[in-house]
Amino acid sequence: MSLDLKNIIKPYPSPIITGRGIDLDFPMLAGCLALLGLGLVMITSASSEVAAVQSGNTLYHMIRHLIYLVIGLGACIVTMMIPIATWQRLGWLMLLGAFGLLVMVIVPGIGREVNGSMRWIGFGAFNVQPSEIAKVFVVIYLAGYLVRRQKEVRESWMGFFKPFIVLLPMAGLLLMEPDFGATVVMMGAAAAMLFLGGVGLFRFALMVGLAVAAVTILVQAQPYRMARLITFTDPWSDQFGSGYQLTQALIAFGRGEWLGVGLGNSVQKQFYLPEAHTDFVFSVLAEELGVVGSLATVGLFVFVCVRAMYIGLWAEKAKQFFAAYVAYGLAFLWIGQFLINIGVNVGLLPTKGLTLPFLSYGGSSLVICCACLGLLLRIEWESRTHLGSEEMEFSESDFAEEPTHGR
């Protein structure tokens, strides 16, 4: 029996390996690359003063961010190579992996404490934030559940409550770190996915009511959360205490005016605004690029998030429901983080440490965002080429002719 080595080593078809070359959703790719490029520029500017004092090299954070960016783009390419059916089959394993990581991070000696929170697992000079991975794995698991139990979810209370048997323990692990922001984003994305999966309006309203009650209890349970909630309504009442970050962020917005003070000319990044290159990078952007630059950045985020929702809609129209729910879930993760981060920066929400997707300094967040981009590009390609079925056998002949691209 002879072996055909050419067939054995032939790469699996993907958006970057087709008979026509690269076949991607270029509007989505261009929007995300623009955000990544802007993020690299703003991290370089916002972190220069801190890096110079802490390491003696003004480009220290920029170099690290660039390394994470390269890793992230590699993760994006790898993700695009994996069929959506594979993600669906591995949903349970990913969920178990997410639980394992969240348990590890709160174990003394394994988890690394930074600013009073155990959110990272250290690997030498680099930290991994399991909550970023867990959020995506929850989306993938829940998408599979909505496909398997579609009728049950739409018609019975048990189908509605079963996901929370998994979600609530995971939320509990996140709160033990503590990571209140990640908990809100994950549960919000899960609720939105359940609604799009067909949960009745009454049950959805009940879920929203219970969620609001839970958030209220959690806020009151910790004094520092209550202090943040009270302070953000009038940060100037304690501008050198609990309201310090927000007042400095608002000063940055005020200094920026319409066109900004110029790239690299921020004053607030010079040790006035804490976490200027992470949680509050948007404030530095507003100071240096002004209202015009801020609105352009918001416009980019809106475009990327809406495009992700449309990718889900296209997959749903192609009857690839698992892919559709994954796309919706990833879009809601981005929307949640975007709204919370911007809301905190402009004083509409209490101060909460949550990165801005694609833009903030933070290796785990950046790499996971790039991987999610690859997943969305794969979903769009499979729905457009109608080759997203788990039973479909792929061959290069499937991609020989140029399809009509109506997007």
Side-chain angles (χ1 to χ4, degrees):
M1 181 182 295
S2 62
L3 294 176
D4 190 344
L5 291 178
K6 182 179 179 181
N7 287 331
I8 293 176
I9 64 174
K10 182 173 68 175
Y12 202 81
S14 72
I16 55 177
I17 302 176
T18 71
R20 301 176 307 279
I22 297 176
D23 184 20
L24 297 172
D25 180 11
F26 285 103
M28 181 68 170
L29 180 63
C32 290
L33 288 179
L35 286 173
L36 289 170
L38 179 61
L40 180 61
V41 172
M42 291 314 305
I43 293 304
T44 304
S45 175
S47 67
S48 59
E49 302 296 332
V50 174
V53 171
Q54 292 181 347
S55 68
N57 179 6
T58 57
L59 300 179
Y60 173 78
H61 291 298
M62 184 274 283
I63 293 171
R64 287 177 63 89
H65 189 79
L66 190 58
I67 292 172
Y68 282 123
L69 181 56
V70 172
I71 295 173
L73 292 176
C76 178
I77 293 172
V78 170
T79 308
M80 278 191 287
M81 303 284 287
I82 302 173
I84 299 303
T86 301
W87 296 102
Q88 187 172 2
R89 286 195 300 270
L90 298 177
W92 268 104
L93 290 176
M94 292 181 182
L95 184 68
L96 293 175
F99 270 110
L101 288 172
L102 292 178
V103 169
M104 287 173 62
V105 78
I106 59 177
V107 175
I110 298 178
R112 181 172 291 181
E113 185 175 346
V114 179
N115 295 331
S117 297
M118 296 277 286
R119 300 180 186 175
W120 294 267
I121 297 176
F123 293 95
F126 297 94
N127 293 329
V128 175
Q129 192 169 0
S131 61
E132 294 291 339
I133 303 171
K135 287 184 293 186
V136 177
F137 285 2
V138 164
V139 165
I140 293 172
Y141 160 76
L142 189 55
Y145 174 82
L146 290 173
V147 171
R148 293 191 306 271
R149 305 287 184 177
Q150 188 175 62
K151 184 177 180 180
E152 190 178 354
V153 168
R154 293 180 177 181
E155 298 178 1
S156 74
W157 283 94
M158 280 305 297
F160 168 66
F161 281 118
K162 280 180 181 179
F164 291 97
I165 298 174
V166 171
L167 293 173
L168 291 179
M170 186 163 290
L173 289 171
L174 287 171
L175 291 172
M176 289 176 68
E177 297 182 4
D179 195 343
F180 188 68
T183 307
V184 171
V185 170
M186 183 190 73
M187 297 301 286
M193 290 175 69
L194 286 169
F195 181 72
L196 293 175
V199 170
L201 188 59
F202 175 74
R203 280 175 285 166
F204 183 76
L206 177 62
M207 176 175 59
V208 172
L210 291 174
V212 171
V215 169
T216 303
I217 293 171
L218 289 171
V219 168
Q220 294 178 343
Q222 293 291 340
Y224 77 91
R225 289 180 189 147
M226 181 58 71
R228 287 180 177 179
L229 184 63
I230 295 172
T231 303
F232 100 97
T233 58
D234 184 16
W236 302 101
S237 63
D238 189 16
Q239 66 182 88
F240 296 109
S242 57
Y244 181 75
Q245 277 185 307
L246 181 53
T247 55
Q248 296 304 315
L250 294 176
I251 290 171
F253 277 93
R255 293 193 74 253
E257 298 184 349
W258 286 102
L259 298 177
V261 297
L263 189 63
N265 294 327
S266 168
V267 171
Q268 292 305 103
K269 70 182 181 183
Q270 298 178 12
F271 303 98
Y272 291 102
L273 179 60
E275 310 297 338
H277 59 297
T278 54
D279 302 339
F280 285 89
V281 68
F282 189 75
S283 297
V284 177
L285 183 149
E287 184 182 2
E288 296 188 347
L289 304 183
V291 172
V292 174
S294 300
L295 291 179
T297 304
V298 170
L300 268 177
F301 273 112
V302 171
F303 170 77
V304 165
C305 292
V306 170
R307 188 75 179 183
M309 293 293 289
Y310 267 104
I311 288 174
L313 179 62
W314 295 329
E316 192 169 359
K317 287 182 176 179
K319 299 188 183 304
Q320 298 172 9
F321 297 108
F322 172 78
Y325 292 136
V326 170
Y328 291 143
L330 296 180
F332 282 116
L333 287 181
W334 287 355
I335 291 169
Q337 287 193 224
F338 164 70
L339 290 177
I340 292 176
N341 185 278
I342 299 295
V344 167
N345 275 255
V346 301
L348 293 177
L349 293 172
T351 303
K352 185 72 206 80
L354 205 63
T355 57
L356 190 58
F358 296 104
L359 216 64
S360 293
Y361 177 81
S364 297
S365 175
L366 185 64
V367 172
I368 293 300
C369 282
C370 291
C372 291
L373 170 61
L375 194 53
L376 287 166
L377 293 174
R378 177 81 195 196
I379 290 170
E380 189 277 336
W381 176 76
E382 287 197 7
S383 65
R384 175 161 45 85
T385 55
H386 300 286
L387 292 169
S389 171
E390 186 173 357
E391 293 80 20
M392 180 67 67
E393 292 292 335
F394 289 91
S395 68
E396 284 298 320
S397 61
D398 293 323
F399 309 93
E401 298 181 3
E402 185 75 27
T404 302
H405 198 316
R407 300 175 186 169

